[in-house]
Every structure is written in C-alpha cells, then in structure tokens.
Amino acid sequence: MEKRRKEILLCGGLFAVAIIYTLLVKYIDVQEIGPNDSLVGFATINNFMFNLTGVNMLWYDITDWWGFVPLFIAFIYAMIGFIQMIKRRNILKVDKEILGLGVYYIIVIGLYIFFETCIINYRPTLMDGILEASYPSSHTLLSVCICGSSLIINKYLFKNRNFFKAENIISILSILVIVIGRFISGVHWFTDIVGAILISIALLKAFNIYIKSINIIRNKIVTRL
C-alpha cells in the first residue's frame, strides 16, 4: 500500500512538472523569433538549438512516414479489443487492460486536439506557407505514448515471447527514430520535443499504475478462489 501511494504521488508530481513546464514555455523568455515574427517561449535556448540543426526535410519526411508505425500498433490493440467484444458479446467483458488502453488513447487524442486549439508555440518554419502549432510535438507525443504503453501492456497480453520481443523492439526503435528525427528535422522548437516527452512520461506513469492495479485485484481474486 505504501509503495502504491508513493507511485501515485510520483505520478501527480510528473503531471505537475509537465503543467508547470508548459506554462513556463508560454510565458518565459518570449521573443519574436518565429516565422512572421511569431512569439516563442524560451526563445534563447530554442533559437540556439534551431541554429544547430536548421531544417532537414529529409528527416521530416522519415519521421512523418514512421509515424504510421505507432498508429498501426494502436490499431492492433483496437482490433484485439474489437474481436474480444464480438466473441464475448459485451464490451464490458473485454480485457480490462484493453479497455483502459482505449480510455488512455482517448485522453492522448484529447490532449492533441487541445494543443492544436490552445497554441503555446508556433513551428520554427512555415509548412506549405502556413504557420502551424508546434507545442508539444504531436509525433513525439503519439509515439512515446502509444509505443510506451505498448511496452507496459505487452507482458500482460501476449504469451508468445517472440511476438512480445519483436513488438517491444519495434516500439523502442519507433520512439528513438521519431523523437531524435523530429528534433534533427528542425520543424519543432527544442522545448516542443521536451514538453511532449514530459507530458508522455506523466501519462505513461498513470497508465502503468492502472495496469498494475488491475493485475493486483485480479491476483487477489484468484488467490481467494
């Protein structure tokens, strides 16, 4: 119980860090360094990092296409849940891990929509002549959240060790390629990448606590039986 309480407090702390960081990006060291004199928070460090990388559209295209890998992973779990629902004829009989993952995905999508409308930073470069929202990096957020949750849930769902290991390798590789590639591409400010990682870590911690709780309850039921 004490360990669980500490994990919940840590989770709350991670969310607090992500929220405070986002507010700092919005209001600290704001300067007109973006395209069309757009305002950018943490301008000094962002401008420094952007000058190091510049814009690399090759890596933008690579990460854009690689972004379909996390979406395909999410599709796999959605199909698992759908098949279970059809076979068991009740959505409430779908594995609790899958149901929780579905809610988790909805939260992630909700955050994506929120930051598309509540703009913190604009991109450091125009995309097809359009100034787009940049914080947090959506590719980073989706890849870390989806692939990270895959690493958490796989050991509870799959008995086939080869499939388990293969998907874990793909998930880890996807996170590395997209996070590093998105930074090198120069289509996001440095703080946009960091913000996406901080938000993702907080969400993953919450999801991990949920998965552990489900299995603790399940094991207690089995023990009593």
Side-chain angles (χ1 to χ4, degrees):
M1 184 63 70
E2 181 64 22
K3 183 179 179 181
R4 177 180 168 80
R5 189 177 72 86
K6 288 181 179 179
E7 286 195 339
I8 292 174
L9 288 174
L10 175 59
C11 182
L14 290 171
F15 274 108
V17 168
I19 292 170
I20 292 170
Y21 176 83
T22 301
L23 292 173
L24 291 176
V25 172
K26 178 66 175 177
Y27 296 109
I28 299 299
D29 191 18
V30 178
Q31 299 180 38
E32 296 178 347
I33 63 169
N36 300 337
D37 294 327
S38 55
L39 295 171
V40 178
F42 283 140
T44 303
I45 187 172
N46 277 324
N47 197 42
F48 173 77
M49 298 302 287
F50 180 72
N51 287 333
L52 284 180
T53 62
V55 177
N56 188 321
M57 294 308 293
L58 174 61
W59 270 105
Y60 172 79
D61 291 336
I62 290 172
T63 53
D64 222 29
W65 281 102
W66 203 294
F68 286 104
V69 176
L71 295 180
F72 180 71
I73 291 174
F75 175 75
I76 290 174
Y77 294 116
M79 289 306 300
I80 291 173
F82 180 73
I83 292 170
Q84 287 184 0
M85 183 181 69
I86 297 299
K87 286 184 176 180
R88 300 170 188 178
R89 301 181 180 179
N90 190 335
I91 191 172
L92 296 179
K93 291 183 179 180
V94 173
D95 288 351
K96 296 296 186 293
E97 290 88 350
I98 295 294
L99 290 176
L101 188 63
V103 173
Y104 170 80
Y105 285 163
I106 291 172
I107 293 172
V108 173
I109 293 171
L111 280 173
Y112 168 78
I113 294 173
F114 171 79
F115 282 113
E116 284 294 307
T117 55
C118 183
I119 298 173
I120 306 298
N121 269 345
Y122 288 100
R123 288 186 188 272
T125 183
L126 298 175
M127 307 303 295
D128 297 323
I130 299 173
L131 191 59
E132 298 179 347
S134 184
Y135 181 96
S137 164
S138 56
H139 273 70
T140 301
L141 182 70
L142 292 175
S143 66
V144 177
C145 283
I146 293 175
C147 295
S149 62
S150 173
L151 296 172
I152 293 171
I153 202 174
N154 278 352
K155 61 182 178 182
Y156 297 104
L157 291 182
F158 302 121
K159 303 302 180 183
N160 187 313
R161 301 302 296 177
N162 290 329
F163 183 84
F164 170 77
K165 290 179 180 179
E167 187 166 347
N168 281 355
I169 291 172
I170 292 171
S171 293
I172 293 171
L173 182 61
S174 295
I175 292 173
L176 292 175
V177 169
I178 292 177
V179 172
I180 296 173
R182 217 59 180 174
F183 170 65
I184 294 174
S185 71
V187 297
H188 288 284
W189 300 107
F190 174 70
T191 52
D192 301 335
I193 306 291
V194 175
I197 292 173
L198 291 176
I199 294 169
S200 299
I201 290 174
L203 290 169
L204 286 171
K205 184 60 180 178
F207 181 68
N208 189 39
I209 290 173
Y210 167 78
I211 293 296
K212 284 183 177 180
S213 299
I214 290 298
N215 282 274
I216 288 172
I217 293 171
R218 183 177 293 144
N219 291 335
K220 285 182 178 179
I221 294 173
V222 171
T223 301
R224 289 174 183 175
L225 294 176

Short mmCIF file of all heavy atoms in Angstrom, two decimals, residues 133-193:
data_model
loop_
_atom_site.label_atom_id
_atom_site.label_comp_id
_atom_site.label_asym_id
_atom_site.label_seq_id
_atom_site.Cartn_x
_atom_site.Cartn_y
_atom_site.Cartn_z
N ALA A 133 0.74 25.16 -35.30
CA ALA A 133 1.05 24.95 -33.89
C ALA A 133 2.19 23.94 -33.76
O ALA A 133 2.30 23.01 -34.55
CB ALA A 133 -0.19 24.44 -33.15
N SER A 134 3.02 24.13 -32.73
CA SER A 134 4.22 23.31 -32.62
C SER A 134 4.39 22.64 -31.27
O SER A 134 5.15 21.67 -31.13
CB SER A 134 5.46 24.18 -32.91
OG SER A 134 6.63 23.42 -32.90
N TYR A 135 3.70 23.14 -30.23
CA TYR A 135 3.87 22.59 -28.88
C TYR A 135 2.62 21.83 -28.45
O TYR A 135 1.52 22.35 -28.56
CB TYR A 135 4.14 23.70 -27.86
CG TYR A 135 4.36 23.17 -26.45
CD1 TYR A 135 5.65 22.94 -25.99
CD2 TYR A 135 3.30 22.87 -25.62
CE1 TYR A 135 5.86 22.45 -24.70
CE2 TYR A 135 3.50 22.36 -24.34
CZ TYR A 135 4.78 22.16 -23.89
OH TYR A 135 4.99 21.65 -22.64
N PRO A 136 2.82 20.62 -27.90
CA PRO A 136 4.04 19.80 -27.95
C PRO A 136 4.15 19.12 -29.30
O PRO A 136 3.16 19.06 -30.04
CB PRO A 136 3.79 18.78 -26.83
CG PRO A 136 2.30 18.58 -26.85
CD PRO A 136 1.71 19.93 -27.21
N SER A 137 5.31 18.59 -29.62
CA SER A 137 5.48 17.86 -30.87
C SER A 137 4.50 16.69 -30.89
O SER A 137 4.58 15.78 -30.07
CB SER A 137 6.91 17.32 -30.97
OG SER A 137 7.01 16.33 -31.96
N SER A 138 3.53 16.72 -31.82
CA SER A 138 2.49 15.69 -31.85
C SER A 138 3.07 14.32 -32.19
O SER A 138 2.63 13.30 -31.63
CB SER A 138 1.40 16.07 -32.85
OG SER A 138 1.94 16.30 -34.13
N HIS A 139 4.04 14.27 -33.09
CA HIS A 139 4.66 12.98 -33.44
C HIS A 139 5.38 12.39 -32.23
O HIS A 139 5.30 11.18 -31.97
CB HIS A 139 5.65 13.16 -34.60
CG HIS A 139 5.02 13.05 -35.95
ND1 HIS A 139 4.19 14.02 -36.43
CD2 HIS A 139 5.09 12.09 -36.91
CE1 HIS A 139 3.78 13.68 -37.64
NE2 HIS A 139 4.30 12.52 -37.95
N THR A 140 6.08 13.25 -31.48
CA THR A 140 6.76 12.78 -30.27
C THR A 140 5.75 12.30 -29.24
O THR A 140 5.91 11.22 -28.65
CB THR A 140 7.62 13.90 -29.67
OG1 THR A 140 8.59 14.33 -30.63
CG2 THR A 140 8.33 13.43 -28.40
N LEU A 141 4.71 13.08 -29.02
CA LEU A 141 3.67 12.72 -28.05
C LEU A 141 3.03 11.39 -28.39
O LEU A 141 2.92 10.50 -27.53
CB LEU A 141 2.61 13.82 -28.01
CG LEU A 141 1.47 13.63 -27.00
CD1 LEU A 141 1.97 13.80 -25.58
CD2 LEU A 141 0.34 14.61 -27.28
N LEU A 142 2.61 11.22 -29.64
CA LEU A 142 1.92 10.00 -30.03
C LEU A 142 2.84 8.78 -30.00
O LEU A 142 2.44 7.71 -29.56
CB LEU A 142 1.32 10.17 -31.44
CG LEU A 142 0.17 11.16 -31.55
CD1 LEU A 142 -0.26 11.34 -33.00
CD2 LEU A 142 -1.03 10.71 -30.71
N SER A 143 4.07 8.95 -30.46
CA SER A 143 5.00 7.81 -30.50
C SER A 143 5.37 7.35 -29.10
O SER A 143 5.35 6.15 -28.80
CB SER A 143 6.26 8.16 -31.30
OG SER A 143 7.02 9.17 -30.65
N VAL A 144 5.71 8.30 -28.22
CA VAL A 144 6.09 7.92 -26.86
C VAL A 144 4.89 7.34 -26.10
O VAL A 144 5.02 6.34 -25.40
CB VAL A 144 6.69 9.12 -26.09
CG1 VAL A 144 7.01 8.73 -24.66
CG2 VAL A 144 7.95 9.63 -26.78
N CYS A 145 3.73 7.97 -26.24
CA CYS A 145 2.54 7.49 -25.53
C CYS A 145 2.08 6.13 -26.03
O CYS A 145 1.82 5.21 -25.23
CB CYS A 145 1.40 8.49 -25.68
SG CYS A 145 1.56 9.94 -24.62
N ILE A 146 1.99 5.95 -27.34
CA ILE A 146 1.49 4.69 -27.89
C ILE A 146 2.51 3.57 -27.74
O ILE A 146 2.19 2.48 -27.25
CB ILE A 146 1.09 4.86 -29.37
CG1 ILE A 146 -0.12 5.79 -29.48
CG2 ILE A 146 0.79 3.50 -30.01
CD1 ILE A 146 -0.52 6.11 -30.91
N CYS A 147 3.75 3.83 -28.16
CA CYS A 147 4.77 2.79 -28.08
C CYS A 147 5.16 2.50 -26.63
O CYS A 147 5.45 1.36 -26.26
CB CYS A 147 6.01 3.21 -28.88
SG CYS A 147 5.70 3.35 -30.64
N GLY A 148 5.15 3.54 -25.79
CA GLY A 148 5.45 3.34 -24.37
C GLY A 148 4.40 2.50 -23.68
O GLY A 148 4.71 1.60 -22.89
N SER A 149 3.13 2.75 -23.99
CA SER A 149 2.04 1.95 -23.39
C SER A 149 2.08 0.52 -23.91
O SER A 149 1.70 -0.41 -23.21
CB SER A 149 0.69 2.59 -23.70
OG SER A 149 0.44 2.64 -25.09
N SER A 150 2.56 0.35 -25.14
CA SER A 150 2.73 -1.00 -25.70
C SER A 150 3.74 -1.79 -24.87
O SER A 150 3.52 -2.97 -24.57
CB SER A 150 3.21 -0.90 -27.16
OG SER A 150 3.53 -2.17 -27.68
N LEU A 151 4.82 -1.15 -24.48
CA LEU A 151 5.84 -1.82 -23.65
C LEU A 151 5.26 -2.22 -22.30
O LEU A 151 5.64 -3.24 -21.73
CB LEU A 151 7.03 -0.89 -23.45
CG LEU A 151 7.84 -0.51 -24.70
CD1 LEU A 151 8.87 0.56 -24.36
CD2 LEU A 151 8.51 -1.73 -25.28
N ILE A 152 4.34 -1.42 -21.78
CA ILE A 152 3.73 -1.69 -20.48
C ILE A 152 2.74 -2.85 -20.55
O ILE A 152 2.73 -3.74 -19.71
CB ILE A 152 3.02 -0.43 -19.93
CG1 ILE A 152 4.04 0.65 -19.60
CG2 ILE A 152 2.18 -0.77 -18.69
CD1 ILE A 152 3.44 2.00 -19.27
N ILE A 153 1.91 -2.85 -21.59
CA ILE A 153 0.79 -3.78 -21.65
C ILE A 153 1.13 -5.13 -22.28
O ILE A 153 0.46 -6.13 -22.02
CB ILE A 153 -0.39 -3.12 -22.42
CG1 ILE A 153 -1.71 -3.79 -22.05
CG2 ILE A 153 -0.15 -3.14 -23.91
CD1 ILE A 153 -2.92 -3.10 -22.65
N ASN A 154 2.19 -5.18 -23.09
CA ASN A 154 2.50 -6.41 -23.82
C ASN A 154 2.66 -7.64 -22.94
O ASN A 154 2.17 -8.72 -23.25
CB ASN A 154 3.77 -6.22 -24.65
CG ASN A 154 3.49 -5.53 -25.96
OD1 ASN A 154 2.34 -5.32 -26.32
ND2 ASN A 154 4.53 -5.15 -26.67
N LYS A 155 3.36 -7.49 -21.83
CA LYS A 155 3.65 -8.66 -20.98
C LYS A 155 2.40 -9.22 -20.33
O LYS A 155 2.40 -10.37 -19.87
CB LYS A 155 4.68 -8.30 -19.92
CG LYS A 155 4.26 -7.20 -18.96
CD LYS A 155 5.39 -6.92 -17.98
CE LYS A 155 5.04 -5.79 -17.02
NZ LYS A 155 6.15 -5.48 -16.10
N TYR A 156 1.33 -8.43 -20.30
CA TYR A 156 0.08 -8.91 -19.73
C TYR A 156 -0.84 -9.53 -20.77
O TYR A 156 -1.78 -10.26 -20.43
CB TYR A 156 -0.67 -7.76 -19.04
CG TYR A 156 0.09 -7.16 -17.88
CD1 TYR A 156 0.74 -5.93 -18.01
CD2 TYR A 156 0.17 -7.81 -16.65
CE1 TYR A 156 1.44 -5.37 -16.95
CE2 TYR A 156 0.88 -7.26 -15.59
CZ TYR A 156 1.50 -6.04 -15.75
OH TYR A 156 2.20 -5.48 -14.69
N LEU A 157 -0.57 -9.26 -22.05
CA LEU A 157 -1.48 -9.71 -23.10
C LEU A 157 -0.95 -10.87 -23.92
O LEU A 157 -1.71 -11.77 -24.31
CB LEU A 157 -1.79 -8.55 -24.05
CG LEU A 157 -2.64 -7.40 -23.51
CD1 LEU A 157 -2.88 -6.37 -24.61
CD2 LEU A 157 -3.97 -7.89 -22.98
N PHE A 158 0.34 -10.87 -24.22
CA PHE A 158 0.86 -11.83 -25.18
C PHE A 158 1.70 -12.92 -24.51
O PHE A 158 2.62 -12.63 -23.75
CB PHE A 158 1.71 -11.12 -26.24
CG PHE A 158 0.97 -10.05 -26.98
CD1 PHE A 158 1.41 -8.74 -26.98
CD2 PHE A 158 -0.18 -10.36 -27.69
CE1 PHE A 158 0.73 -7.75 -27.67
CE2 PHE A 158 -0.88 -9.38 -28.38
CZ PHE A 158 -0.43 -8.08 -28.36
N LYS A 159 1.36 -14.17 -24.83
CA LYS A 159 2.11 -15.31 -24.29
C LYS A 159 3.26 -15.71 -25.22
O LYS A 159 4.23 -16.33 -24.79
CB LYS A 159 1.17 -16.51 -24.10
CG LYS A 159 -0.03 -16.22 -23.21
CD LYS A 159 0.39 -15.76 -21.82
CE LYS A 159 -0.83 -15.46 -20.94
NZ LYS A 159 -0.44 -14.95 -19.61
N ASN A 160 3.12 -15.35 -26.50
CA ASN A 160 4.16 -15.67 -27.48
C ASN A 160 5.35 -14.75 -27.25
O ASN A 160 5.29 -13.55 -27.54
CB ASN A 160 3.60 -15.50 -28.90
CG ASN A 160 4.58 -15.96 -29.97
OD1 ASN A 160 5.76 -15.62 -29.94
ND2 ASN A 160 4.07 -16.74 -30.91
N ARG A 161 6.44 -15.30 -26.75
CA ARG A 161 7.59 -14.49 -26.38
C ARG A 161 8.25 -13.81 -27.58
O ARG A 161 8.74 -12.69 -27.49
CB ARG A 161 8.64 -15.34 -25.65
CG ARG A 161 8.13 -16.02 -24.39
CD ARG A 161 7.60 -15.01 -23.39
NE ARG A 161 8.63 -14.11 -22.91
CZ ARG A 161 8.43 -13.10 -22.07
NH1 ARG A 161 7.20 -12.84 -21.66
NH2 ARG A 161 9.42 -12.33 -21.68
N ASN A 162 8.24 -14.52 -28.73
CA ASN A 162 8.87 -13.93 -29.92
C ASN A 162 8.10 -12.70 -30.39
O ASN A 162 8.70 -11.68 -30.73
CB ASN A 162 8.93 -14.97 -31.04
CG ASN A 162 9.92 -16.08 -30.75
OD1 ASN A 162 10.92 -15.86 -30.08
ND2 ASN A 162 9.65 -17.26 -31.25
N PHE A 163 6.76 -12.80 -30.41
CA PHE A 163 5.95 -11.66 -30.80
C PHE A 163 6.12 -10.52 -29.80
O PHE A 163 6.22 -9.36 -30.16
CB PHE A 163 4.47 -12.07 -30.88
CG PHE A 163 3.57 -10.96 -31.35
CD1 PHE A 163 3.40 -10.72 -32.70
CD2 PHE A 163 2.90 -10.14 -30.44
CE1 PHE A 163 2.57 -9.69 -33.14
CE2 PHE A 163 2.08 -9.11 -30.87
CZ PHE A 163 1.92 -8.89 -32.22
N PHE A 164 6.15 -10.89 -28.53
CA PHE A 164 6.32 -9.93 -27.43
C PHE A 164 7.62 -9.15 -27.61
O PHE A 164 7.64 -7.92 -27.56
CB PHE A 164 6.31 -10.70 -26.11
CG PHE A 164 6.72 -9.89 -24.91
CD1 PHE A 164 5.85 -8.99 -24.33
CD2 PHE A 164 7.98 -10.04 -24.35
CE1 PHE A 164 6.23 -8.25 -23.21
CE2 PHE A 164 8.36 -9.32 -23.24
CZ PHE A 164 7.48 -8.41 -22.67
N LYS A 165 8.73 -9.87 -27.86
CA LYS A 165 10.02 -9.23 -28.02
C LYS A 165 10.08 -8.39 -29.30
O LYS A 165 10.63 -7.28 -29.29
CB LYS A 165 11.12 -10.29 -28.04
CG LYS A 165 11.35 -10.97 -26.70
CD LYS A 165 12.45 -12.02 -26.81
CE LYS A 165 12.67 -12.71 -25.46
NZ LYS A 165 13.72 -13.77 -25.56
N ALA A 166 9.52 -8.90 -30.37
CA ALA A 166 9.54 -8.19 -31.65
C ALA A 166 8.81 -6.86 -31.56
O ALA A 166 9.31 -5.83 -32.02
CB ALA A 166 8.94 -9.06 -32.75
N GLU A 167 7.63 -6.88 -30.95
CA GLU A 167 6.86 -5.63 -30.84
C GLU A 167 7.55 -4.64 -29.91
O GLU A 167 7.51 -3.43 -30.14
CB GLU A 167 5.44 -5.91 -30.36
CG GLU A 167 4.59 -4.66 -30.42
CD GLU A 167 3.11 -4.94 -30.28
OE1 GLU A 167 2.70 -6.09 -30.38
OE2 GLU A 167 2.37 -3.96 -30.06
N ASN A 168 8.19 -5.16 -28.86
CA ASN A 168 8.92 -4.26 -27.96
C ASN A 168 10.08 -3.57 -28.68
O ASN A 168 10.32 -2.38 -28.49
CB ASN A 168 9.45 -5.03 -26.75
CG ASN A 168 8.37 -5.29 -25.71
OD1 ASN A 168 7.25 -4.81 -25.84
ND2 ASN A 168 8.70 -6.04 -24.68
N ILE A 169 10.79 -4.34 -29.51
CA ILE A 169 11.91 -3.77 -30.27
C ILE A 169 11.40 -2.69 -31.23
O ILE A 169 11.98 -1.61 -31.34
CB ILE A 169 12.66 -4.88 -31.04
CG1 ILE A 169 13.40 -5.79 -30.06
CG2 ILE A 169 13.64 -4.26 -32.04
CD1 ILE A 169 14.01 -7.01 -30.70
N ILE A 170 10.29 -2.98 -31.91
CA ILE A 170 9.71 -2.02 -32.84
C ILE A 170 9.27 -0.76 -32.11
O ILE A 170 9.47 0.37 -32.59
CB ILE A 170 8.51 -2.65 -33.59
CG1 ILE A 170 9.00 -3.75 -34.53
CG2 ILE A 170 7.75 -1.59 -34.37
CD1 ILE A 170 7.88 -4.57 -35.15
N SER A 171 8.69 -0.94 -30.92
CA SER A 171 8.22 0.21 -30.14
C SER A 171 9.37 1.10 -29.69
O SER A 171 9.32 2.33 -29.83
CB SER A 171 7.43 -0.28 -28.91
OG SER A 171 6.23 -0.90 -29.29
N ILE A 172 10.43 0.48 -29.17
CA ILE A 172 11.60 1.24 -28.72
C ILE A 172 12.26 1.96 -29.89
O ILE A 172 12.62 3.14 -29.81
CB ILE A 172 12.61 0.31 -28.01
CG1 ILE A 172 12.02 -0.22 -26.70
CG2 ILE A 172 13.92 1.06 -27.73
CD1 ILE A 172 12.85 -1.31 -26.04
N LEU A 173 12.41 1.25 -31.02
CA LEU A 173 13.03 1.83 -32.22
C LEU A 173 12.20 3.01 -32.73
O LEU A 173 12.75 4.05 -33.12
CB LEU A 173 13.16 0.77 -33.30
CG LEU A 173 13.83 1.21 -34.61
CD1 LEU A 173 15.27 1.67 -34.34
CD2 LEU A 173 13.82 0.07 -35.63
N SER A 174 10.88 2.87 -32.69
CA SER A 174 9.99 3.93 -33.17
C SER A 174 10.13 5.19 -32.32
O SER A 174 10.17 6.31 -32.85
CB SER A 174 8.54 3.45 -33.16
OG SER A 174 8.35 2.40 -34.09
N ILE A 175 10.20 5.00 -31.00
CA ILE A 175 10.37 6.15 -30.12
C ILE A 175 11.68 6.88 -30.42
O ILE A 175 11.70 8.11 -30.57
CB ILE A 175 10.35 5.70 -28.63
CG1 ILE A 175 8.95 5.22 -28.25
CG2 ILE A 175 10.78 6.85 -27.71
CD1 ILE A 175 8.87 4.60 -26.86
N LEU A 176 12.77 6.12 -30.56
CA LEU A 176 14.08 6.72 -30.80
C LEU A 176 14.12 7.45 -32.14
O LEU A 176 14.59 8.60 -32.23
CB LEU A 176 15.16 5.64 -30.76
CG LEU A 176 15.43 5.01 -29.39
CD1 LEU A 176 16.44 3.87 -29.52
CD2 LEU A 176 15.94 6.05 -28.41
N VAL A 177 13.63 6.79 -33.19
CA VAL A 177 13.68 7.39 -34.53
C VAL A 177 12.84 8.66 -34.59
O VAL A 177 13.29 9.70 -35.11
CB VAL A 177 13.18 6.39 -35.60
CG1 VAL A 177 12.98 7.09 -36.94
CG2 VAL A 177 14.17 5.25 -35.75
N ILE A 178 11.63 8.61 -34.04
CA ILE A 178 10.73 9.77 -34.15
C ILE A 178 11.19 10.92 -33.27
O ILE A 178 11.21 12.08 -33.71
CB ILE A 178 9.28 9.35 -33.81
CG1 ILE A 178 8.75 8.42 -34.90
CG2 ILE A 178 8.39 10.57 -33.66
CD1 ILE A 178 7.37 7.87 -34.65
N VAL A 179 11.58 10.63 -32.03
CA VAL A 179 12.00 11.71 -31.13
C VAL A 179 13.28 12.39 -31.65
O VAL A 179 13.34 13.61 -31.78
CB VAL A 179 12.21 11.19 -29.70
CG1 VAL A 179 12.84 12.28 -28.82
CG2 VAL A 179 10.90 10.73 -29.08
N ILE A 180 14.29 11.58 -31.95
CA ILE A 180 15.56 12.14 -32.43
C ILE A 180 15.38 12.77 -33.81
O ILE A 180 15.86 13.88 -34.08
CB ILE A 180 16.66 11.06 -32.47
CG1 ILE A 180 16.95 10.54 -31.05
CG2 ILE A 180 17.94 11.61 -33.11
CD1 ILE A 180 17.89 9.37 -31.00
N GLY A 181 14.66 12.06 -34.68
CA GLY A 181 14.45 12.55 -36.04
C GLY A 181 13.65 13.84 -36.08
O GLY A 181 13.93 14.73 -36.89
N ARG A 182 12.67 13.94 -35.19
CA ARG A 182 11.85 15.16 -35.16
C ARG A 182 12.69 16.36 -34.71
O ARG A 182 12.50 17.48 -35.19
CB ARG A 182 10.66 14.95 -34.22
CG ARG A 182 9.36 15.60 -34.69
CD ARG A 182 8.94 15.10 -36.04
NE ARG A 182 7.69 15.74 -36.48
CZ ARG A 182 7.15 15.57 -37.65
NH1 ARG A 182 7.74 14.80 -38.54
NH2 ARG A 182 6.01 16.17 -37.98
N PHE A 183 13.60 16.12 -33.78
CA PHE A 183 14.49 17.20 -33.34
C PHE A 183 15.44 17.61 -34.45
O PHE A 183 15.61 18.81 -34.74
CB PHE A 183 15.28 16.76 -32.10
CG PHE A 183 16.38 17.71 -31.73
CD1 PHE A 183 16.09 19.00 -31.30
CD2 PHE A 183 17.72 17.34 -31.84
CE1 PHE A 183 17.09 19.90 -30.97
CE2 PHE A 183 18.73 18.22 -31.51
CZ PHE A 183 18.42 19.50 -31.08
N ILE A 184 16.05 16.62 -35.12
CA ILE A 184 17.00 16.92 -36.20
C ILE A 184 16.32 17.62 -37.36
O ILE A 184 16.92 18.46 -38.03
CB ILE A 184 17.66 15.60 -36.68
CG1 ILE A 184 18.53 14.99 -35.56
CG2 ILE A 184 18.53 15.86 -37.91
CD1 ILE A 184 19.08 13.63 -35.91
N SER A 185 15.04 17.28 -37.59
CA SER A 185 14.34 17.86 -38.74
C SER A 185 14.18 19.37 -38.63
O SER A 185 14.05 20.06 -39.65
CB SER A 185 12.95 17.21 -38.89
OG SER A 185 12.09 17.63 -37.85
N GLY A 186 14.16 19.89 -37.40
CA GLY A 186 14.05 21.33 -37.22
C GLY A 186 12.65 21.90 -37.44
O GLY A 186 12.49 23.11 -37.57
N VAL A 187 11.64 21.03 -37.47
CA VAL A 187 10.27 21.52 -37.66
C VAL A 187 9.58 21.79 -36.33
O VAL A 187 8.40 22.18 -36.30
CB VAL A 187 9.44 20.53 -38.51
CG1 VAL A 187 10.01 20.39 -39.90
CG2 VAL A 187 9.33 19.17 -37.82
N HIS A 188 10.29 21.53 -35.24
CA HIS A 188 9.81 21.87 -33.90
C HIS A 188 10.92 22.58 -33.14
O HIS A 188 12.10 22.32 -33.36
CB HIS A 188 9.40 20.61 -33.12
CG HIS A 188 8.15 19.97 -33.61
ND1 HIS A 188 6.90 20.48 -33.36
CD2 HIS A 188 7.95 18.84 -34.34
CE1 HIS A 188 5.98 19.70 -33.91
NE2 HIS A 188 6.59 18.70 -34.51
N TRP A 189 10.52 23.44 -32.23
CA TRP A 189 11.50 24.00 -31.30
C TRP A 189 11.92 22.92 -30.32
O TRP A 189 11.17 21.98 -30.06
CB TRP A 189 10.90 25.19 -30.55
CG TRP A 189 10.46 26.32 -31.41
CD1 TRP A 189 9.17 26.67 -31.70
CD2 TRP A 189 11.29 27.26 -32.09
NE1 TRP A 189 9.14 27.76 -32.53
CE2 TRP A 189 10.43 28.15 -32.79
CE3 TRP A 189 12.66 27.44 -32.19
CZ2 TRP A 189 10.91 29.19 -33.57
CZ3 TRP A 189 13.14 28.49 -32.97
CH2 TRP A 189 12.28 29.35 -33.65
N PHE A 190 13.12 23.08 -29.78
CA PHE A 190 13.65 22.10 -28.82
C PHE A 190 12.70 21.88 -27.65
O PHE A 190 12.46 20.75 -27.23
CB PHE A 190 15.02 22.59 -28.32
CG PHE A 190 15.60 21.74 -27.23
CD1 PHE A 190 16.07 20.47 -27.49
CD2 PHE A 190 15.69 22.23 -25.92
CE1 PHE A 190 16.61 19.68 -26.48
CE2 PHE A 190 16.23 21.46 -24.91
CZ PHE A 190 16.70 20.18 -25.19
N THR A 191 12.13 22.96 -27.13
CA THR A 191 11.24 22.84 -25.98
C THR A 191 9.93 22.13 -26.32
O THR A 191 9.26 21.60 -25.43
CB THR A 191 10.91 24.23 -25.38
OG1 THR A 191 10.43 25.09 -26.44
CG2 THR A 191 12.14 24.84 -24.74
N ASP A 192 9.56 22.10 -27.61
CA ASP A 192 8.36 21.37 -28.02
C ASP A 192 8.58 19.86 -27.88
O ASP A 192 7.67 19.11 -27.50
CB ASP A 192 8.01 21.68 -29.48
CG ASP A 192 7.77 23.17 -29.70
OD1 ASP A 192 7.40 23.86 -28.74
OD2 ASP A 192 7.96 23.63 -30.84
N ILE A 193 9.78 19.41 -28.20
CA ILE A 193 10.13 17.99 -28.06
C ILE A 193 10.16 17.61 -26.59
O ILE A 193 9.59 16.59 -26.17
CB ILE A 193 11.50 17.70 -28.70
CG1 ILE A 193 11.55 18.18 -30.16
CG2 ILE A 193 11.84 16.22 -28.58
CD1 ILE A 193 10.70 17.40 -31.11
#
